[in-house]
Amino acid sequence: MDLAAYLPFWNKLSDAERRSLDAATTQRRFAKGTVLHRGSEDCTGLMLIESGRLRVFTVSDEGRELTIYHLIDRDICLFSAPCILHSVDFDVLVAVEDEAVVDIIAAPVYRQLMDTNVDVANFTNELMASRFSDVMWLFDQVMNRRIDARLAALLVEECDQEGSSVLSVTHEQLGNHLGSPREVVTRMLKYLQTEGLVKLGRGSIEIVDEAGLRALAGDSLR
Amino acid sequence: MDLAAYLPFWNKLSDAERRSLDAATTQRRFAKGTVLHRGSEDCTGLMLIESGRLRVFTVSDEGRELTIYHLIDRDICLFSAPCILHSVDFDVLVAVEDEAVVDIIAAPVYRQLMDTNVDVANFTNELMASRFSDVMWLFDQVMNRRIDARLAALLVEECDQEGSSVLSVTHEQLGNHLGSPREVVTRMLKYLQTEGLVKLGRGSIEIVDEAGLRALAGDSLR
């Protein structure tokens, strides 16, 4: 566990501050599917992702999920510690998509550091501005892009992620990423199949024409 | 112009810091309709709203607007100074809805204060977390609420704002608030009229049954 590699303010901390952060950090390994964090009641702590992939998402009252962003190596999850910011009044959930090794910094220790160290406070500012930008980008996508482009982008990204052109993802899982009902995803996948871009199997989706999907995705591919 | 009333960190500033903030602040009056800020290229400065009402919104490539929040008395507009945060990479526009008196703090002076004063940095954090929460709330609304509930909520809010049950707002303006095409708004208004909730005139919308609109709006009314 090498906090210096994750935290750009490390060099500006005093020895005492470094010792306190070190002592407040625990490394844990989580299996795929684990839900690490559930909404603002939960103040798990700041998460530094050493390896693996986490999904940060919201759930509507009706149970519909929407992926707001993913976190991978060296990313930091701020909203797993909502209690460090009084003005956060929304809930996100964090789940493990690929087995993950995560360093968790206890929220009170981080908060105390934020209160006294201007570099830590401004690092937190930049981290939040960056997530805010992700959400604004997604919002624009949802409001203004067609579902076909967003689905095409998602398939290409899953393909890159899995390193395979055959995806074993369900229509419901795709819907959860896009914030769309399963029926909408199924209808759109059938359309993509008629266009010769994918081939639907039992519980699998084969990417037949990745270039075609990329063209359809356009700037929905970030 | 009384910065102490707007900035909770005022009492924690040194005399030199206060003088520098005072010198960097200009008070201006803007007429209804003025666009104060256009996207991230523009770094107008931090805006403190003394009176009036500002609308913060995004515009899609196709020109469709979406109101993300309003700012009124004593609110502070952070994203009119996007250059103070390196990680902001989205564009918002700020326009005057009701004649406004605004104190503008020059961005470089505020940024310098943030860099050296932990209270200013953490104030900025809370301000951003609060706007982030607004956006997440709206996102949930857009993804999960029906357009009829959102339109009903908007009509009730406009009614409160105008202090009149007859609104002289166009269908296009309502669409710009909701991020919906004008045709969708018109169709929905006609539906609300058949339900006896509103009465459509030439260039006006009369609220006939406010209680009914409130019931329809449900928790879309914040």
Side-chain angles (χ1 to χ4, degrees), chain B residues 82-98:
Chain B
C83 59
I84 66 167
L85 292 158
H86 311 297
S87 310
V88 169
D89 73 349
F90 57 92
D91 287 338
V92 297
L93 287 84
V94 181
V96 180
E97 281 208 334
D98 294 327

Side-chain angles (χ1 to χ4, degrees), chain B residues 37-193:
Chain B
H37 175 79
R38 297 178 188 275
S40 59
E41 296 302 294
D42 209 1
C43 202
T44 319
L46 225 71
M47 292 184 187
L48 283 52
I49 292 91
E50 293 222 357
S51 66
R53 194 161 108 116
L54 305 186
R55 180 166 83 100
V56 180
F57 61 106
T58 59
V59 181
S60 74
D61 294 346
E62 295 78 27
R64 190 180 306 167
E65 298 183 4
L66 171 71
T67 301
I68 54 172
Y69 45 80
H70 283 99
L71 299 170
I72 56 169
D73 307 0
R74 303 206 165 224
D75 280 338
I76 297 180
C77 188
L78 181 62
F79 294 116
S80 54
C83 59
I84 66 167
L85 292 158
H86 311 297
S87 310
V88 169
D89 73 349
F90 57 92
D91 287 338
V92 297
L93 287 84
V94 181
V96 180
E97 281 208 334
D98 294 327
E99 190 188 56
V101 175
V102 175
D103 299 335
I104 303 177
I105 304 177
V109 172
Y110 190 85
R111 176 70 232 189
Q112 205 198 351
L113 216 50
M114 253 177 88
D115 281 338
T116 50
N117 185 308
V118 74
D119 296 307
V120 179
N122 280 315
F123 171 76
T124 312
N125 255 317
E126 291 296 339
L127 198 56
M128 187 164 28
S130 168
R131 298 296 169 246
F132 204 148
S133 299
D134 290 343
V135 167
M136 291 298 286
W137 178 84
L138 179 65
F139 209 161
D140 179 63
Q141 288 288 312
V142 167
M143 293 299 291
N144 300 308
R145 309 291 159 185
R146 294 163 325 189
I147 179 83
D148 55 352
R150 292 176 60 226
L151 179 57
L154 180 57
L155 292 174
V156 171
E157 283 160 6
E158 288 286 317
C159 215
D160 287 350
Q161 178 66 25
E162 299 290 322
S164 158
S165 65
V166 180
L167 305 174
S168 58
V169 64
T170 68
H171 299 188
E172 183 162 10
Q173 285 168 326
L174 294 171
N176 285 344
H177 282 299
L178 299 171
S180 301
R182 186 189 53 72
E183 300 74 28
V184 171
V185 172
T186 299
R187 197 173 58 212
M188 189 53 68
L189 282 169
K190 285 182 181 160
Y191 162 76
L192 297 182
Q193 182 168 246

Side-chain angles (χ1 to χ4, degrees), chain A residues 4 21-22 28 40 51 58 61 81 87 98 103 105 116 127 141 172 177-178 187 199 203 215 221:
Chain A
L21 257 190
D22 258 330
R28 295 191 57 188
S40 58
S51 66
T58 59
D61 294 346
S87 310
D98 294 327
D103 299 335
I105 304 178
T116 51
L127 197 56
Q141 288 288 313
E172 184 162 6
H177 282 299
L178 299 171
R187 196 174 61 210
K199 192 160 176 294
L221 263 177

Side-chain angles (χ1 to χ4, degrees), chain A residues 99-135:
Chain A
E99 190 187 60
V101 176
V102 175
D103 299 335
I104 303 177
I105 304 178
V109 172
Y110 189 85
R111 177 69 232 190
Q112 204 198 353
L113 215 52
M114 252 177 89
D115 281 338
T116 51
N117 186 308
V118 73
D119 296 306
V120 179
N122 279 315
F123 171 75
T124 312
N125 256 318
E126 290 297 338
L127 197 56
M128 184 160 34
S130 169
R131 297 297 169 247
F132 204 148
S133 300
D134 290 343
V135 167

Side-chain angles (χ1 to χ4, degrees), chain A residues 34-208:
Chain A
T34 314
V35 176
L36 297 187
H37 175 79
R38 296 178 189 276
S40 58
E41 296 302 294
D42 208 3
C43 202
T44 319
L46 225 71
M47 293 184 186
L48 284 51
I49 293 91
E50 291 221 359
S51 66
R53 194 162 107 116
L54 306 186
R55 178 167 85 99
V56 180
F57 61 106
T58 59
V59 181
S60 75
D61 294 346
E62 295 77 31
R64 191 181 304 166
E65 298 183 3
L66 171 71
T67 301
I68 55 171
Y69 44 79
H70 283 99
L71 299 169
I72 56 169
D73 308 0
R74 303 207 165 224
D75 280 337
I76 297 181
C77 188
L78 181 61
F79 293 116
S80 53
C83 59
I84 67 165
L85 291 158
H86 311 297
S87 310
V88 169
D89 74 348
F90 57 91
D91 288 338
V92 298
L93 287 84
V94 181
V96 179
E97 281 208 335
D98 294 327
E99 190 187 60
V101 176
V102 175
D103 299 335
I104 303 177
I105 304 178
V109 172
Y110 189 85
R111 177 69 232 190
Q112 204 198 353
L113 215 52
M114 252 177 89
D115 281 338
T116 51
N117 186 308
V118 73
D119 296 306
V120 179
N122 279 315
F123 171 75
T124 312
N125 256 318
E126 290 297 338
L127 197 56
M128 184 160 34
S130 169
R131 297 297 169 247
F132 204 148
S133 300
D134 290 343
V135 167
M136 291 297 285
W137 179 85
L138 178 65
F139 209 160
D140 179 65
Q141 288 288 313
V142 166
M143 292 298 291
N144 300 307
R145 309 290 160 187
R146 293 163 325 189
I147 179 83
D148 55 351
R150 292 176 58 225
L151 179 58
L154 180 57
L155 292 173
V156 170
E157 282 159 10
E158 288 287 318
C159 212
D160 287 350
Q161 179 66 25
E162 299 290 322
S164 158
S165 65
V166 181
L167 306 174
S168 56
V169 64
T170 68
H171 298 191
E172 184 162 6
Q173 286 169 324
L174 294 172
N176 285 344
H177 282 299
L178 299 171
S180 301
R182 186 190 53 72
E183 301 73 28
V184 172
V185 172
T186 300
R187 196 174 61 210
M188 190 53 68
L189 283 169
K190 284 180 180 160
Y191 163 75
L192 297 181
Q193 183 168 246
T194 62
E195 296 289 299
L197 299 171
V198 304
K199 192 160 176 294
L200 304 179
R202 285 176 181 248
S204 75
I205 301 166
E206 185 183 348
I207 308 301
V208 177

